[in-house]
Short mmCIF file of all heavy atoms in Angstrom, two decimals:
data_model
loop_
_atom_site.label_atom_id
_atom_site.label_comp_id
_atom_site.label_asym_id
_atom_site.label_seq_id
_atom_site.Cartn_x
_atom_site.Cartn_y
_atom_site.Cartn_z
N ALA A 9 106.39 91.70 91.13
CA ALA A 9 105.33 92.56 90.61
C ALA A 9 104.30 91.77 89.82
O ALA A 9 103.11 92.13 89.79
CB ALA A 9 105.93 93.66 89.74
N GLY A 10 104.72 90.67 89.18
CA GLY A 10 103.80 89.84 88.41
C GLY A 10 102.72 89.20 89.26
O GLY A 10 101.69 88.75 88.73
N VAL A 11 102.94 89.15 90.57
CA VAL A 11 101.94 88.61 91.49
C VAL A 11 101.19 89.74 92.19
O VAL A 11 99.96 89.70 92.33
CB VAL A 11 102.62 87.69 92.53
CG1 VAL A 11 101.61 87.16 93.55
CG2 VAL A 11 103.31 86.52 91.83
N VAL A 12 101.92 90.77 92.60
CA VAL A 12 101.28 91.89 93.31
C VAL A 12 100.21 92.56 92.45
O VAL A 12 99.17 93.00 92.95
CB VAL A 12 102.34 92.92 93.76
CG1 VAL A 12 101.69 94.15 94.36
CG2 VAL A 12 103.29 92.29 94.77
N ILE A 13 100.43 92.61 91.15
CA ILE A 13 99.49 93.28 90.26
C ILE A 13 98.13 92.56 90.26
O ILE A 13 97.08 93.18 90.04
CB ILE A 13 100.07 93.41 88.83
CG1 ILE A 13 99.45 94.61 88.12
CG2 ILE A 13 99.94 92.11 88.04
CD1 ILE A 13 100.25 95.08 86.93
N ASP A 14 98.14 91.25 90.55
CA ASP A 14 96.89 90.51 90.71
C ASP A 14 96.33 90.66 92.12
O ASP A 14 95.12 90.74 92.32
CB ASP A 14 97.12 89.03 90.41
CG ASP A 14 97.05 88.73 88.92
OD1 ASP A 14 97.18 89.69 88.12
OD2 ASP A 14 96.88 87.56 88.55
N ALA A 15 97.22 90.68 93.13
CA ALA A 15 96.77 90.85 94.51
C ALA A 15 96.01 92.16 94.69
O ALA A 15 94.99 92.22 95.38
CB ALA A 15 97.96 90.79 95.46
N ILE A 16 96.51 93.22 94.05
CA ILE A 16 95.84 94.52 94.14
C ILE A 16 94.43 94.44 93.59
O ILE A 16 93.46 94.92 94.20
CB ILE A 16 96.65 95.59 93.36
CG1 ILE A 16 97.98 95.87 94.07
CG2 ILE A 16 95.84 96.88 93.20
CD1 ILE A 16 98.95 96.68 93.21
N ARG A 17 94.29 93.80 92.43
CA ARG A 17 92.97 93.75 91.81
C ARG A 17 92.02 92.82 92.57
O ARG A 17 90.82 93.09 92.64
CB ARG A 17 93.12 93.34 90.35
CG ARG A 17 93.78 94.44 89.51
CD ARG A 17 93.94 94.06 88.06
NE ARG A 17 95.01 93.09 87.87
CZ ARG A 17 95.20 92.41 86.73
NH1 ARG A 17 94.37 92.60 85.70
NH2 ARG A 17 96.21 91.57 86.62
N CYS A 18 92.54 91.76 93.18
CA CYS A 18 91.69 90.92 94.03
C CYS A 18 91.23 91.69 95.26
O CYS A 18 90.08 91.55 95.71
CB CYS A 18 92.45 89.66 94.47
SG CYS A 18 92.61 88.42 93.16
N CYS A 19 92.12 92.51 95.80
CA CYS A 19 91.76 93.34 96.95
C CYS A 19 90.65 94.31 96.57
O CYS A 19 89.72 94.55 97.34
CB CYS A 19 93.01 94.10 97.42
SG CYS A 19 93.06 94.38 99.19
N LYS A 20 90.74 94.88 95.38
CA LYS A 20 89.71 95.80 94.91
C LYS A 20 88.37 95.09 94.73
O LYS A 20 87.31 95.63 95.06
CB LYS A 20 90.16 96.43 93.59
CG LYS A 20 89.12 97.32 92.93
CD LYS A 20 88.73 98.52 93.79
CE LYS A 20 87.83 99.46 92.99
NZ LYS A 20 87.30 100.56 93.85
N LEU A 21 88.40 93.85 94.22
CA LEU A 21 87.17 93.08 94.10
C LEU A 21 86.52 92.90 95.47
O LEU A 21 85.29 93.01 95.61
CB LEU A 21 87.44 91.72 93.47
CG LEU A 21 87.77 91.68 91.98
CD1 LEU A 21 87.99 90.24 91.52
CD2 LEU A 21 86.68 92.32 91.14
N ALA A 22 87.33 92.61 96.48
CA ALA A 22 86.79 92.44 97.83
C ALA A 22 86.16 93.74 98.33
O ALA A 22 85.10 93.73 98.95
CB ALA A 22 87.89 91.98 98.78
N LEU A 23 86.82 94.87 98.06
CA LEU A 23 86.24 96.17 98.44
C LEU A 23 84.91 96.39 97.73
O LEU A 23 83.93 96.85 98.34
CB LEU A 23 87.22 97.29 98.10
CG LEU A 23 88.46 97.42 98.99
CD1 LEU A 23 89.47 98.37 98.35
CD2 LEU A 23 88.08 97.91 100.38
N ASP A 24 84.85 96.06 96.45
CA ASP A 24 83.60 96.20 95.70
C ASP A 24 82.49 95.34 96.29
O ASP A 24 81.32 95.73 96.26
CB ASP A 24 83.81 95.80 94.24
CG ASP A 24 84.69 96.78 93.47
OD1 ASP A 24 84.91 97.91 93.97
OD2 ASP A 24 85.15 96.42 92.37
N ARG A 25 82.86 94.19 96.80
CA ARG A 25 81.88 93.24 97.33
C ARG A 25 81.56 93.47 98.79
O ARG A 25 80.76 92.75 99.38
CB ARG A 25 82.41 91.81 97.14
CG ARG A 25 82.61 91.41 95.69
CD ARG A 25 83.43 90.13 95.56
NE ARG A 25 83.70 89.81 94.15
CZ ARG A 25 84.52 88.84 93.75
NH1 ARG A 25 85.17 88.12 94.65
NH2 ARG A 25 84.71 88.61 92.47
N GLY A 26 82.24 94.45 99.40
CA GLY A 26 81.99 94.74 100.81
C GLY A 26 82.54 93.68 101.75
O GLY A 26 82.05 93.51 102.87
N LYS A 27 83.59 92.98 101.30
CA LYS A 27 84.17 91.90 102.10
C LYS A 27 85.41 92.40 102.82
O LYS A 27 86.34 92.92 102.18
CB LYS A 27 84.51 90.71 101.21
CG LYS A 27 85.19 89.57 101.97
CD LYS A 27 85.40 88.37 101.09
CE LYS A 27 86.19 87.27 101.81
NZ LYS A 27 85.59 86.88 103.09
N GLY A 28 85.47 92.23 104.14
CA GLY A 28 86.64 92.61 104.91
C GLY A 28 87.30 91.41 105.55
O GLY A 28 86.85 90.28 105.42
N GLY A 29 88.40 91.66 106.25
CA GLY A 29 89.14 90.60 106.89
C GLY A 29 90.06 89.87 105.93
O GLY A 29 90.35 90.36 104.83
N ILE A 30 90.50 88.69 106.33
CA ILE A 30 91.44 87.91 105.52
C ILE A 30 90.80 87.49 104.21
O ILE A 30 89.68 86.97 104.19
CB ILE A 30 91.89 86.65 106.28
CG1 ILE A 30 92.61 87.02 107.58
CG2 ILE A 30 92.82 85.81 105.40
CD1 ILE A 30 92.79 85.83 108.52
N LEU A 31 91.50 87.70 103.12
CA LEU A 31 91.11 87.14 101.84
C LEU A 31 91.89 85.83 101.68
O LEU A 31 93.06 85.82 101.26
CB LEU A 31 91.42 88.11 100.70
CG LEU A 31 90.76 89.50 100.79
CD1 LEU A 31 91.04 90.31 99.53
CD2 LEU A 31 89.26 89.40 101.04
N TYR A 32 91.26 84.72 102.05
CA TYR A 32 91.97 83.45 102.15
C TYR A 32 92.46 82.93 100.80
O TYR A 32 93.58 82.42 100.69
CB TYR A 32 91.07 82.39 102.82
CG TYR A 32 90.92 82.60 104.30
CD1 TYR A 32 89.79 83.22 104.82
CD2 TYR A 32 91.91 82.18 105.19
CE1 TYR A 32 89.64 83.42 106.18
CE2 TYR A 32 91.78 82.37 106.55
CZ TYR A 32 90.64 82.99 107.05
OH TYR A 32 90.50 83.19 108.40
N GLN A 33 91.61 83.07 99.76
CA GLN A 33 92.01 82.52 98.46
C GLN A 33 93.20 83.28 97.86
O GLN A 33 94.20 82.65 97.48
CB GLN A 33 90.82 82.53 97.50
CG GLN A 33 89.60 81.74 97.98
CD GLN A 33 88.58 82.64 98.66
OE1 GLN A 33 88.95 83.56 99.39
NE2 GLN A 33 87.31 82.36 98.43
N PRO A 34 93.15 84.61 97.77
CA PRO A 34 94.33 85.33 97.27
C PRO A 34 95.56 85.13 98.14
O PRO A 34 96.68 85.00 97.63
CB PRO A 34 93.87 86.79 97.28
CG PRO A 34 92.39 86.73 97.16
CD PRO A 34 92.00 85.51 97.94
N SER A 35 95.38 85.09 99.45
CA SER A 35 96.52 84.88 100.34
C SER A 35 97.18 83.53 100.09
O SER A 35 98.40 83.41 100.04
CB SER A 35 96.09 85.00 101.81
OG SER A 35 95.68 86.31 102.12
N ALA A 36 96.35 82.50 99.90
CA ALA A 36 96.89 81.15 99.68
C ALA A 36 97.67 81.06 98.38
O ALA A 36 98.69 80.38 98.30
CB ALA A 36 95.76 80.13 99.69
#
């Protein structure tokens, strides 16, 4: 959970920015 809680917020940032597809930096 200590990692997922950041992954969720990075995903939200991508949604805010209109970015789709693989999020390479968070995934890495």
Side-chain angles (χ1 to χ4, degrees):
V11 178
V12 174
I13 207 161
D14 277 18
I16 292 168
R17 291 180 286 168
C18 284
C19 213
K20 175 62 173 174
L21 288 181
L23 287 168
D24 291 345
R25 297 167 184 171
K27 177 175 175 55
I30 299 167
L31 302 186
Y32 286 100
Q33 301 96 321
S35 294

